[in-house]
Every structure is written in C-alpha cells, then in structure tokens.
Amino acid sequence: MSSVIVAGLVSGSIYALIASGLSLVWGALGVFNFAHGALLMAGAFVAWFVSDPAGLDLGLTAGVLTSMIFMIAAGGVLYVLLVRPWLGKPAAELTVIMTTVAGAMFLENLALYTFGARLKALDQVVTGTVSVAGTAMQAQNLLVIVLAPVLLGGLALFLKLSKHGLAIRAIAQNDEAARLLGIRIERTYFLTFAVSALLAGVAGVMIGGLFNITPSMGSDPLLRAFLVVVFGGLGSLPGTVIAAYLIGLIEAASSYYIGIYWTPVVLFSVLILVLLVRPNGLLGRAP
Amino acid sequence: MSLPSTPLRLAAAVVVLLLAILLPFVVTGGAAKNLVVLALLFAVVASNWDLTLGYAGIFNFAHVAFFGIAGYVSAIATIYFGLPVWLDIALAVAVVAVLAGVTAALALRLRGIYVALVTFAFVQLCVALIISQKWLTGGAVGLVGVPDLALFGHRLSPSGPDYLILAELLLIASTVFLRFLVRSDFGLSIVALRDNEAYAVARGISATRQRVLAMVASSLFTAAAGAVYAHYLIVASPDVFSFSLTTLILSMVLLGGGATIYGPIMAAIALTVVTEQLAGFGVVRFMIIAVLIVLTLRFLPGGLWSLGERLTVLRRNSKQGIGA
Amino acid sequence: MQLEVESLRTGYGRIEVLHGVSLFVNAGEAVGLFGPNGHGKTTLLRAISGLLPAAQGTIRFDGRNIANGSADAIVEAGIIHVAQASALFPRMTVFEALTLGAYRKAAWPHRKATLEKVFAIFPRLAERRSQNCRTLSGGERQMAAIGVGLMAMPRLLMLDEPTLGLAPKIRQELARQIGLVAQTGTSLVVVDQDVDLLLGLCERLYLIENGMVALEINDRSELQHQDIVQRYFGTAA
Ligand SMILES: Nc1ncnc2c1ncn2[C@@H]1O[C@H](COP(=O)(O)OP(=O)(O)O)[C@@H](O)[C@H]1O
Ligand SMILES: [Mg+2]
C-alpha cells in the first residue's frame, strides 16, 4: 500500500514537472510542444555526458548545472526555430505540432547518433534508502517527492510575484493589453519556452537517476503528460498539477492491483469518463 | 485550387496509368520491389489521412493506428478463425470503420489540440493492449503466420509482381474514391466546417456527423492497406504503432501538401525512395528528413504539390499573355 | 508641444481609416477627442501607441518621431494607452494587474509608492485588490484599467471611452477621478461620446470625423454643448 503511494507520488511529481511546462507554453502561446519529451531526454544526456566517467567526468553537480543552463538555451532555440516563424499564421496550431514533431525526431536521432543506443544511467543525487513513517524507500525517490513540489511552488511564486512571471500570464490572458503595458511579447515567449524547458530538464535528470537514459526516454513521460493536460485542462497550472498527481497515483494503484498491462486501459477509461462529463478537462475552462 | 486544364489532366492520367502498367515489369529486383510495395501502401495511408487532416482539419493522430489494427484483425481472423483470405480484409475494413466512427464520436466532442492529445493516447492504449494480450496478439513479437492471399487458386507470391500489382490497384481505387469524395458536396461541407464552422453550421451542415463520416471514410482504404500489409509481411507487428511510423507518414502528408490528395501520394513515394537512398547515412537520414520537414513548412507551406500548381498557373498565365 | 501628430494616414489592410490627422497635446494638458462611432478615434490612439503602423505622416513625442516605433518602446517613452472596453487580465487579481502596470522600466522601482497614489484616487481598487479582474463590475474594471495605466507613471495617458456603457452615477464618479489624474500633471487624451464630460475635463477638444480632424475647439466658451451636437450629430441631445 505505502509502496504504491510512493510510486504514485514519484510518477506524479515527474508528470507534474513535464506537464506544467507544456501547459505554460500552451497558455501563453496557444501552441503545443511535441518536442517537450525530446527536450527532457536532451537534458538527461547533457547531465550524463558532463558527469559520467565515460564523458567529461566532472561530477554530478556540474552535470546537473550544465544541463539546466543547456535547457534554458535549448528551449529558446526551439522557440526561435520551430515556433516563432509560424505564430499568428493560419493553422499555426497544427503546423507547430508538425515542426515540433520534426524537432523531436531530429533530437532523438541526434542523441542516438552521438551516444548510441546503449542504456545509460545517471548517478543518483542521494543514495541509499530512508524510512519515512515506517515506509522504506530509496533516498532518490524521497528527493523527487520533496523537490517537485518545491519547484512547482517556486514556479507558482514566479508567476504570481515576479515581473516576468506576471508578464507570461498577461500575454496568455490578453496579449494586446499586455503590449500596451510595454511587455515585449517576443522576449516573453522566449522566456516561457526557457522556463518550460528547464522544468523538462529537471524531470529528465530525475528520470535519469531513477531509470535509464535512452534517446526515446522522453516519449512515454510525454504521452502521460498528454493525459495529464487533457485531464487537468490545458493552461490551468493548478489543474495540471492536481491531474499529474492523480494520474501518477491511479497508475501506481492499477499497476499494483490490476496489473501493469491494464494500466493504460484504466487510465484511458478514466480519461474518457472525465471528458464525457467535462470536455475541457477536470479543471479546465471553456476556450 | 487550380488544377491543370482537362487535356493536360487526361494526359497526366494516361501517363500515370502507363507507368502503373509498366512498373511491375520494370521493378523486378527483390529489394526494389519491396520498396515500391511499401511506398504504394504508405501512399494509401498518407492520402487517406489527408482527408481528415488536410480537408476536414481534424487533428486525428490515430490514423496510422487504424492501419495497424486492420493488420491485427486480418491476422487474428485468418490464423485463429480460419477465415478465407479476402474476407478477412473486408472484416478488417468493417471493424476499423466502426472503431473509427466510435473514436471520432468520442474525440470530436473535444476541440483542436485536445483531439490530437486524446487520439495520441488512444494509440498508446492500442499498443499496450496488443503487447499485453500475448495469447491473442503474439505480444511484442507480433502475430506471425498470416497466410498469403490467393486468387482463383493462385497464391499471390511475395517474390513475383503480385503484391506490387495489388498495391497499385489499391492505391488507384483509393485515389479515385478520395478525389470523388473531396469534390462532392460532402467534401465541400467538411472544408466549409474547417474554414468557418459557425457559418457552415448556420447553413445547416451537421458538424459532428460530417466529421465522423470523414473519419470513417478515411479509415476504409487505410484499413484495407493495413490488412494487405499484414498478408504481405506475413505478420501483424506492434511496430506499426510506433511514433516513428506516424511521424514518417505525417511527413508525407506535410511535404506533399495538405488538402490535395495527390501531394501526399507523391511525397509517400518520394520519401520512401529517399529514405532508402539515405539508408547509408544510418540515423542521420531521420535528422535530414526532420530538417526537410521544417524547411518545407517554412518556405513551402503548401507542400511540394503547391510547387507544381504554381508552375502550372505561371505557364497558363504566360500562355494567355497575362503573366506579368 | 509634447505630442504632435502630423498628416497621419493609416488603416487596416488596404482600407484607410485615418486620412491625414493632425493634432497636438501640450505637456500637462488635457485634450478631448469626440465624434461619431467608427470614425477613427480608436484607430488614432492605436497608431500613437504603436499597435498599428502608420502608413504616412509623423507622430512626434518630445520632438522624437515615434511613428512605427514598437509598442514597448513607446511605453518606455512614457505614453500609456488604456484600451476601449479592456477586459484587462481576467484571471489576475487587481493587485497583480496593477503591479504589472508598473512593467515600464522607469516605473518598476517606484511601484509601491505609485500603488498608494492609485489607491488614493480609486479607493474601490484597494477594496477589490485580491479579486480577479473578471469579477469586477463595469465601473470597477474601468477604474482598474486606468489604475493599471497610472502604475506605469505615464507622461501622457490616453483613455479610450472610459465611461462607455456606465450608469450616470458611476460615470460622474469616474469623471471626477479622471479630473484628479489631470491635476497630477500627467498629460491626458480622453476619447468620449459625452461632450459635457469632455468640456468639464479638457482644455481643448477635437472633433474626429471621417478619419480627419473636422473641428478644433480651443476655448470652452467658444461653443456650447448644444451647438456641437446640433452641428455635427444632426440631433439635439
Ligand atoms: N481591426 C479592424 N480591422 C478592420 N477595420 C477596423 C478594425 N478596427 C476598426 N476598423 C474600422 O475602422 C474604422 C474606425 O474604427 P475606430 O477607430 O474603432 O472608430 P471609433 O473609435 O471612432 O469608434 C471603422 O470603420 C471600423 O470598422
Ligand atoms: Mg473607439
């Protein structure tokens, strides 16, 4: 029972980090980044390459820091190359799906080309097991469970209190009024992508420490994040986070009690049920 | 859309038909023939996807799954239930059509991007089910032993030209069907819904019904192609549900040009050949294709087909002396 | 002259809406614009604030041509445009929207002090500070929109139909509050259908008709309300 909760919270944390980045971009720009999973993968590979003895061997701290800086730049570059040229054009929504799908294809094959298909693992930030309230768990799991809410809280504060966080929300809600306040739309879009990529990078490093690093490691979490944003309603951060933890827990419970192969069926049934009742997601707004 | 004038179109049709007749005689090498069969089948899948994605503007990302599911229906029907060949293809088309209708009815309650997300999730559900129900589907290995098709006691042989001819016939039938559809009132109504839903609905077009019909129509030849594919490869494999196949076929639709039917067909053939030519580059070829997709979307948003159209218009204008 | 618009022509796509508008605003002055609906008042403000490119003509602010400048550069220069019927930021609290109003570099460090001044003019905003903009009444939303504009510490504040659709009582309250803003020394451009209100607030008035300045009224006593209405709207109010 308690191991189910631990597993659910770990997945929920990771999904929340991934999905909140997707949701943020959707809210501000009205486009969906299908390369988000590939970004996550790239973040994990950079951290691995910098830290691992088979790479630069500079230690985990350097690896994680480099990866975070890399992610900020990667998010920005992705925006400039794959999103900005189509914003405001007819069918931007569909075209950006395509360009980011192509971007994902490029990044995954680049990783495959550069690093090969052999499984890699990131060192764990913390090792060993700890016991919380009578439940033994890997220290790394505990770290994920604690760190994710801290980061998501930080994100919420950034969006509520900081000048540029408020600007991201402003362009999502009324971009003309935002421009009339002097908000630089371009720069704010760039920033949105950078923040979103940074969150994906953190998720990538977490996954890399718990499981394996492979060129396709981003696709499964991305698909779960799709479910999360549909559940939670795109563009609503609280909805996204709640849905992420719900899905993580449902998944863990159904894997444990019903069987791992039935989990997608359970998730999909819940999804259909939610959408039949609330077509804009659990906490979503009508568009 | 400006199509070439009638005599030109007639000429083009004759040329294409001649090529189709010649193709089985020209392409005899095993590898080359295999490539052409795949290209033709993928052309069916891509051009049918164009009906929902290009004409109807529905972000249906379960299209390639229809192709895959049809293969499994064929395989299960023939291997476990001994259904005669051809009948299993009809069954696959029927099952997939119903499935497409149900998927559409559910997914089309949603809008735009949500349709993409839910249909993506649907594909994952299919994969998970297929991999988990090993007793029925063969799991990750796939279901091996789909019998060869046979006609009047003659077994279609993978080494002869048989499957190539079958794939050609399928593509021709599918293309005639699609062109007929998109030029019919039905075709105009789904385009009207795509471009201005409120207006179209006000004119008495039922949004949900037309879109569900479009999804079902797009699934018919896709399913037939999927069943033939399984017969041809003797196996129904979960690989067809992979993200990379969806990406590949999506690139065909896009590179060729959405809402044209012919564009995706051309691109399917071109891309299959190019991918093969680039095989020596290993994974780098996918990076090249990715770059090509982005460049096309950037500088030729109408796809390769629009290039041909532009040329035709230019030439016609200059002939009539109105080319500036 | 703080703002000087000269022979400005612009429009939407191929349709020209402004056919050569010239007007000016002196520093610290309040100027009113009025005229029939759909004759280009909003379009003029959009061109000044950089939302709309100018096809021809110049817009000078402090002597510098800002025509075709970017919206953010124009805000940084000190011109703030409060849009007609702005929904503001529906899912932000009044406090957040006001804070964001100080986005302009020159205003950001002073946002706490400015907020006090805004609350002094619009005490209702202080009461509503933690309420979402979406839930505000029409009058409150207009106050919030002006308050957000003031947070940028504008040198020139342009208000587009601030009293549109408001009940007479709230309209009066708002007029008084705009008067308070005028007293702070901020230059004002106010667009309104209510000529009486403009006559009470502004030193000078322009009548905008068919995308041109049809009349400039420099002296309030020069023309009375009735005359204007009769001459240019054809009916008595
Ligand atoms: N976004 C737009 N696109 C095309 N035409 C517009 C747009 N906005 C306004 N117009 C047209 O420009 C003209 C002037 O409008 P506007 O400046 O809003 O007038 P006013 O503010 O004086 O009522 C009107 O004829 C209007 O139809
Ligand atoms: Mg107006």
Side-chain angles (χ1 to χ4, degrees):
Chain A
M1 176 64 200
S2 51
S3 68
V4 170
I5 292 180
V6 170
L9 289 178
V10 168
S11 322
S13 301
I14 291 173
Y15 298 160
L17 291 173
I18 301 172
S20 54
L22 285 174
S23 194
L24 199 62
V25 165
W26 172 264
L29 289 89
V31 298
F32 206 85
N33 178 15
F34 274 64
H36 201 63
L39 277 178
L40 169 168
M41 175 275 300
F45 266 104
V46 169
W48 175 85
F49 180 70
V50 173
S51 64
D52 201 83
L56 298 181
D57 198 13
L58 294 176
L60 193 60
T61 315
V64 172
L65 284 179
T66 316
S67 165
M68 297 303 107
I69 295 166
F70 169 82
M71 289 313 284
I72 292 174
V77 169
L78 189 139
Y79 161 69
V80 170
L81 291 182
L82 301 182
V83 180
R84 190 170 65 182
W86 292 276
L87 281 181
K89 298 259 170 67
E93 208 181 355
L94 182 61
T95 318
V96 170
I97 294 181
M98 317 298 186
T99 56
T100 52
V101 164
M105 183 165 147
F106 184 88
L107 279 176
E108 284 185 17
N109 285 289
L110 181 65
L112 194 60
Y113 180 72
T114 319
F115 297 106
R118 214 156 45 82
L119 301 181
K120 295 167 182 59
L122 212 54
D123 276 345
Q124 304 210 324
V125 178
V126 285
T127 49
T129 56
V130 289
S131 175
V132 178
T135 307
M137 63 177 102
Q138 276 191 9
Q140 177 89 2
N141 278 337
L142 182 64
L143 182 70
V144 169
I145 293 176
V146 174
L147 193 57
V150 170
L151 287 172
L152 292 167
L155 176 67
L157 288 182
F158 167 72
L159 292 173
K160 276 199 96 60
L161 300 179
S162 80
K163 184 176 177 182
H164 298 292
L166 284 170
I168 289 178
R169 286 169 63 209
I171 54 174
Q173 298 181 20
N174 187 346
D175 68 336
E176 183 169 297
R179 288 176 66 193
L180 287 176
L181 293 180
I183 293 172
R184 292 168 206 52
I185 302 282
E186 281 278 306
R187 227 193 262 187
T188 309
Y189 285 163
F190 193 98
L191 176 71
T192 311
F193 261 90
V195 171
S196 160
L198 185 64
L199 292 167
V202 174
V205 169
M206 284 179 172
I207 297 173
L210 288 171
F211 310 103
N212 288 315
I213 299 182
T214 67
S216 60
M217 66 184 280
S219 33
D220 263 358
L222 182 67
L223 286 160
R224 288 290 186 275
F226 284 179
L227 287 182
V228 167
V229 291
V230 175
F231 266 141
L234 270 166
S236 143
L237 202 58
T240 303
V241 171
I242 292 170
Y245 281 100
L246 266 179
I247 289 199
L249 288 168
I250 293 175
E251 190 182 43
S254 93
S255 301
Y256 186 81
Y257 294 109
I258 310 177
I260 192 157
Y261 286 125
W262 289 104
T263 302
V265 182
V266 171
L267 286 179
F268 205 73
S269 316
V270 178
L271 177 76
I272 289 177
L273 259 165
V274 168
L275 290 179
L276 284 178
V277 185
R278 296 187 56 91
N280 293 304
L282 217 49
L283 296 168
R285 296 174 299 268
Chain B
M1 191 170 30
S2 60
L3 278 169
S5 55
T6 314
L8 214 73
R9 278 170 60 187
L10 226 83
V14 170
V15 171
V16 168
L17 265 178
L18 277 177
L19 277 179
I21 293 167
L22 282 178
L23 201 59
F25 299 102
V26 180
V27 183
T28 49
K33 197 169 54 205
N34 182 44
L35 199 64
V36 174
V37 172
L38 293 188
L40 294 173
L41 291 179
F42 287 161
V44 173
V45 182
S47 54
N48 277 279
W49 198 357
D50 194 19
L51 182 65
T52 43
L53 201 61
Y55 285 92
I58 303 169
F59 296 4
N60 168 28
F61 278 86
H63 187 77
V64 181
F66 296 158
F67 176 77
I69 291 167
Y72 273 97
V73 173
S74 263
I76 291 169
T78 48
I79 294 175
Y80 292 113
F81 299 99
L83 202 69
V85 293
W86 302 111
L87 269 186
D88 67 299
I89 298 184
L91 179 70
V93 171
V95 169
V96 167
V98 171
L99 196 65
V102 173
T103 311
L106 285 175
L108 294 178
R109 290 172 50 83
L110 310 169
R111 282 280 152 269
I113 190 76
Y114 283 101
V115 177
L117 300 181
V118 170
T119 46
F120 247 120
F122 170 76
V123 178
Q124 291 320 297
L125 174 75
C126 295
V127 178
L129 274 177
I130 285 169
I131 294 195
S132 64
Q133 304 308 306
K134 211 170 169 173
W135 59 276
L136 185 68
T137 61
V141 183
L143 193 50
V144 188
V146 187
D148 266 319
L149 291 166
L151 202 58
F152 309 122
H154 162 70
R155 264 184 63 208
L156 270 60
S157 117
S159 51
D162 307 352
Y163 277 97
L164 203 165
I165 296 169
L166 180 60
E168 275 185 349
L169 292 176
L170 197 59
L171 179 58
I172 292 171
S174 156
T175 308
V176 170
F177 171 72
L178 288 173
R179 288 302 306 179
F180 166 76
L181 262 193
V182 299
R183 281 147 51 136
S184 68
D185 285 349
F186 171 76
L188 297 180
S189 74
I190 57 174
V191 171
L193 280 170
R194 176 196 69 190
D195 292 341
N196 191 342
E197 175 162 355
Y199 179 72
V201 170
R203 295 285 302 271
I205 297 174
S206 156
T208 310
R209 197 192 66 200
Q210 299 303 84
R211 289 198 174 116
V212 170
L213 282 178
M215 285 269 276
V216 172
S218 78
S219 75
L220 302 178
F221 277 95
T222 306
V228 169
Y229 186 71
H231 281 288
Y232 175 63
L233 294 182
I234 332 175
V235 57
S237 145
D239 291 349
V240 293
F241 296 95
S242 72
F243 192 53
S244 47
L245 186 63
T246 287
T247 310
L248 180 71
I249 296 193
L250 184 61
S251 2
M252 293 169 181
V253 181
L254 293 177
L255 289 178
T260 62
I261 302 295
Y262 296 127
I265 294 175
M266 271 177 26
I269 293 165
L271 209 54
T272 314
V273 173
V274 169
T275 314
E276 196 53 35
Q277 291 302 310
L278 294 176
F281 288 93
V283 294
V284 175
R285 70 183 149 157
F286 295 111
M287 293 157 67
I288 298 175
I289 292 174
V291 172
L292 279 180
I293 294 175
V294 174
L295 289 179
T296 309
L297 290 169
R298 179 84 178 84
F299 298 107
L300 203 63
L304 297 173
W305 187 253
S306 71
L307 200 64
E309 274 182 4
R310 272 188 224 174
L311 290 179
T312 333
V313 173
L314 270 182
R315 207 188 35 228
R316 193 185 310 164
N317 286 355
S318 60
K319 226 187 256 168
Q320 295 169 358
I322 51 171
Chain C
M1 269 178 284
Q2 191 181 38
L3 177 78
E4 191 184 8
V5 178
E6 223 176 271
S7 317
L8 178 68
R9 288 172 177 270
T10 187
Y12 302 91
R14 284 192 202 157
I15 301 162
E16 190 178 271
V17 173
L18 300 183
H19 315 289
V21 169
S22 301
L23 52 76
F24 66 90
V25 180
N26 290 315
E29 194 185 21
V31 168
L33 304 180
F34 68 105
N37 263 331
H39 280 229
K41 303 180 296 294
T42 297
T43 305
L44 172 62
L45 297 200
R46 289 171 65 86
I48 295 173
S49 57
L51 289 182
L52 206 62
Q56 263 183 53
T58 55
I59 303 169
R60 269 191 288 277
F61 189 61
D62 290 337
R64 210 158 50 86
N65 189 6
I66 55 164
N68 296 318
S70 66
D72 53 88
I74 290 167
V75 168
E76 292 302 338
I79 301 180
I80 291 288
H81 169 184
V82 177
Q84 183 175 336
S86 172
L88 233 37
F89 305 106
R91 297 180 300 283
M92 274 193 198
T93 63
V94 170
F95 175 74
E96 287 170 339
L98 288 168
T99 307
L100 195 62
Y103 187 90
R104 185 181 165 220
K105 283 195 195 77
W108 185 254
H110 309 290
R111 61 190 184 281
K112 291 223 166 64
T114 321
L115 188 67
E116 292 312 314
K117 289 181 195 156
V118 170
F119 282 161
I121 297 176
F122 302 107
R124 282 224 227 171
L125 294 184
E127 293 167 27
R128 302 272 182 252
R129 55 184 296 158
S130 41
Q131 205 170 309
N132 269 355
C133 295
R134 185 188 39 203
T135 63
L136 296 178
S137 73
E140 289 164 352
R141 188 170 307 171
Q142 201 47 249
M143 291 173 194
I146 299 173
V148 168
L150 285 174
M151 287 299 292
M153 304 173 69
R155 301 184 46 234
L156 170 67
L157 182 65
M158 306 193 292
L159 307 178
D160 197 351
E161 309 224 18
T163 67
L164 186 75
L166 299 183
K169 227 179 108 190
I170 301 172
R171 189 183 284 234
Q172 270 170 20
E173 188 183 345
L174 206 59
R176 187 184 55 80
Q177 288 162 330
I178 296 172
L180 291 178
V181 173
Q183 281 169 23
T184 63
T186 309
S187 318
L188 275 182
V189 171
V190 184
V191 175
D192 214 286
Q193 304 284 353
D194 187 340
V195 180
D196 274 334
L197 180 142
L198 292 182
L199 282 170
L201 266 176
C202 303
E203 278 99 58
R204 291 184 302 114
L205 265 57
Y206 290 98
L207 167 63
I208 307 283
E209 218 178 26
N210 293 318
M212 293 192 284
V213 173
L215 179 71
E216 183 183 342
I217 302 166
N218 290 310
D219 187 350
R220 285 180 217 190
S221 58
E222 197 178 277
L223 276 173
Q224 284 310 309
H225 178 200
Q226 292 299 327
D227 304 323
I228 299 170
V229 171
Q230 266 186 342
R231 259 180 80 185
Y232 294 99
F233 296 91
T235 53

